[in-house]
Amino acid sequence: MKKTILAMAVPALLAAGSASASINLYDADGVKVDLSGAAEVQYFQDIGNDKDGMWRLDDGDLAVNTEVAVSPEMSVLAGMSFEFESEEALTKNATNGNVENKELFVGFKSDSFGQITFGRQYLISDDSGITKDYELSKASFSLEETSHGDQVAKYIYDNGTLYGGVSTYQKSDGEDDGTAELSIVDARLGYRVADFDVRGYYYKADDGNVKLNGTPTDVDVTAYQFEVEYAGIENVSLAASYGNAQADAIGGANDVINTDAFSLAADYTMGNTTFAAGWDRRDPEKGDNVNGYYANVTYALHSNAKVYAEIGDTNADNADLGYVAGMEVKF
């Protein structure tokens, strides 16, 4: 009994959430507890002018998740995750790595009706994107506002064919003093048929803040993205997307940001090796278009371990070739 309690308590203190593999720590009397983790280290040089290579701790996660059956049709959930990535190479004030709690949530799960969770977690829109890069897709669709927060409610549903979800983030200080507070609502709706997976995302942020030419600006952000993936060719995966993000200044001129984004990506797997490449285009209403390109190769040492290398570039002024080589191990 003491060993069981210790096995559950220690990972609960360290928990983290992005790794996909997991180890079952406990499964009895309707209670399941799983631990997962990942470590990823890279040697990385970004696309741009006067860039240099550096060692980068890209991923360091531990997660614990539990599911408790309260009826034949319903379970309650809880999850915690921590990240250990270091900013040492990116800041003037060197650190030995900061520990940050990224997820802390509770909720309900039903095989018939889906899953709803509340607490610190990622929004639905964090899953958007079809690119097959590791680091060097620089002209693809991106949101100018947050996709993570403490005060998040999220519902997801997936029956294998039809899937979707909605989430909301309310950055409230608990005071009704008339101060503008960031609020976000986003959603996803998708459908799988034959070898196609088609989906769309919608994102709306009110009273947000983005940097325009280095100056923080209060804005309302509206964005959408359409994505399609095709897996009907043996060992080949193809994907395409179109998105638009618009930011309107609060109390000022409209359309301070209005950008279309296009992406194409493909990969081919031969044994343990996967080759991937992609093209992205960002087309702002104001300013120059930017085209980006990347290609990478990944070798799977094991289902839980891989090594990879990637190069990428854009047609932006003074943008030199970027590259990254890395290794990831997860459990």
Side-chain angles (χ1 to χ4, degrees):
M1 183 64 179
K2 290 183 179 179
K3 291 183 179 179
T4 301
I5 293 173
L6 180 61
M8 294 174 62
V10 171
L13 293 173
L14 299 175
S18 62
S20 58
S22 64
I23 298 171
N24 180 254
L25 300 177
Y26 185 79
D27 190 350
D29 301 322
V31 179
K32 293 191 293 184
V33 180
D34 294 321
L35 173 70
S36 60
E40 184 174 1
V41 178
Q42 302 173 335
Y43 192 76
F44 172 67
Q45 178 175 303
D46 203 358
I47 299 171
N49 188 31
D50 295 329
K51 301 294 184 179
D52 200 4
M54 66 179 184
W55 288 101
R56 183 182 186 204
L57 306 184
D58 183 63
D59 206 2
D61 302 325
L62 279 178
V64 64
N65 292 277
T66 184
E67 182 175 333
V68 181
V70 294
S71 77
E73 291 292 326
M74 181 73 68
S75 298
V76 293
L77 309 172
M80 293 179 285
S81 71
F82 281 77
E83 292 185 355
F84 299 85
E85 288 92 320
S86 172
E87 298 296 321
E88 181 176 358
L90 305 179
T91 64
K92 295 180 180 179
N93 300 318
T95 71
N96 196 34
N98 298 316
V99 179
E100 183 180 3
N101 177 231
K102 298 298 289 187
E103 292 181 298
L104 179 60
F105 61 84
V106 296
F108 299 91
K109 177 182 177 181
S110 166
D111 292 338
S112 301
F113 301 106
Q115 175 178 305
I116 185 168
T117 49
F118 310 92
R120 180 179 298 134
Q121 54 189 320
Y122 290 91
L123 296 171
I124 290 285
S125 54
D126 187 66
D127 294 329
S128 65
I130 56 89
T131 62
K132 299 180 182 295
D133 70 304
Y134 285 98
E135 302 293 345
L136 299 174
S137 174
K138 297 298 184 180
S140 57
F141 177 81
S142 64
L143 294 167
E144 299 295 333
E145 265 298 342
T146 185
S147 60
H148 174 269
D150 288 355
Q151 302 176 55
V152 174
K154 179 166 65 173
Y155 170 75
I156 56 176
Y157 173 80
D158 191 338
N159 68 7
T161 301
L162 177 68
Y163 63 99
V166 61
S167 57
T168 178
Y169 171 43
Q170 204 74 27
K171 191 176 182 180
S172 173
D173 60 7
E175 300 293 335
D176 186 13
D177 55 9
T179 302
E181 296 175 331
L182 172 65
S183 65
I184 298 172
V185 175
D186 63 355
R188 171 181 61 214
L189 183 62
Y191 192 76
R192 304 181 186 97
V193 56
D195 296 308
F196 287 92
D197 186 343
V198 182
R199 56 190 175 267
Y201 289 86
Y202 176 79
Y203 180 97
K204 182 75 169 71
D206 293 326
D207 296 316
N209 189 276
V210 298
K211 283 189 175 181
L212 301 174
N213 299 319
T215 302
T217 304
D218 293 328
V219 295
D220 293 332
V221 178
T222 303
Y224 58 86
Q225 165 104 328
F226 299 104
E227 303 174 355
V228 58
E229 294 184 284
Y230 178 69
I233 304 172
E234 186 177 4
N235 300 325
V236 174
S237 175
L238 306 174
S241 69
Y242 163 72
N244 174 272
Q246 178 176 318
D248 297 331
I250 299 173
N254 289 335
D255 289 0
V256 294
I257 295 174
N258 192 342
T259 302
D260 293 323
F262 308 85
S263 290
L264 297 174
D267 66 36
Y268 170 69
T269 299
M270 182 175 60
N272 291 340
T273 305
T274 299
F275 304 90
W279 165 82
D280 307 303
R281 177 182 173 89
R282 191 172 293 177
D283 188 359
E285 185 178 55
K286 303 174 183 178
D288 297 329
N289 300 332
V290 177
N291 290 279
Y293 320 87
Y294 61 87
N296 58 60
V297 58
T298 302
Y299 183 76
L301 302 166
H302 182 274
S303 59
N304 285 15
K306 64 184 179 182
V307 292
Y308 57 85
E310 179 175 76
I311 58 172
D313 203 356
T314 74
N315 68 339
D317 294 338
N318 300 316
D320 296 328
L321 181 79
Y323 61 83
V324 61
M327 178 177 181
E328 181 188 40
V329 181
K330 59 185 181 181
F331 61 88

